[in-house]
Amino acid sequence: ARSYLKEISGDWEAFMQQGIPAIGFHSMQREDLRMVHTYRDNAGRLDRAQFERDFQYLTRFISALDQWN
């Protein structure tokens, strides 16, 4: 099965094209991804509660990576 994530672009692409490892995080569903970079792409579509949960998770994840040797 083909990953639907390959259907989107993101800020990580420029890094990857230069051979710099990069990772992208998002919490969008497949149907939401179809709206990215279209006239329907606006902040009002964000699930702010989910965005906050994702932010907290990523903060903990990045902190854990920083502590990992």
Side-chain angles (χ1 to χ4, degrees):
R2 186 177 149 195
S3 170
Y4 69 87
L5 297 178
K6 293 179 181 179
E7 298 172 14
I8 64 168
S9 62
D11 297 334
W12 63 86
E13 287 182 319
F15 294 98
M16 299 289 284
Q17 289 171 355
Q18 296 298 315
I20 301 168
I23 188 168
F25 293 96
H26 74 84
S27 61
M28 294 183 283
Q29 300 298 317
R30 185 177 196 148
E31 56 273 7
D32 296 328
L33 290 172
R34 292 186 185 118
M35 292 182 234
V36 174
H37 304 303
T38 71
Y39 70 93
R40 296 179 294 175
D41 187 5
N42 64 68
R45 297 194 54 83
L46 281 176
D47 177 339
R48 295 189 184 276
Q50 183 64 49
F51 186 84
E52 177 66 25
R53 288 189 297 274
D54 294 342
F55 175 78
Q56 294 298 325
Y57 172 79
L58 289 173
T59 299
R60 291 189 305 273
F61 178 76
I62 291 167
S63 180
L65 285 178
D66 188 46
Q67 301 298 318
W68 188 39
N69 310 40

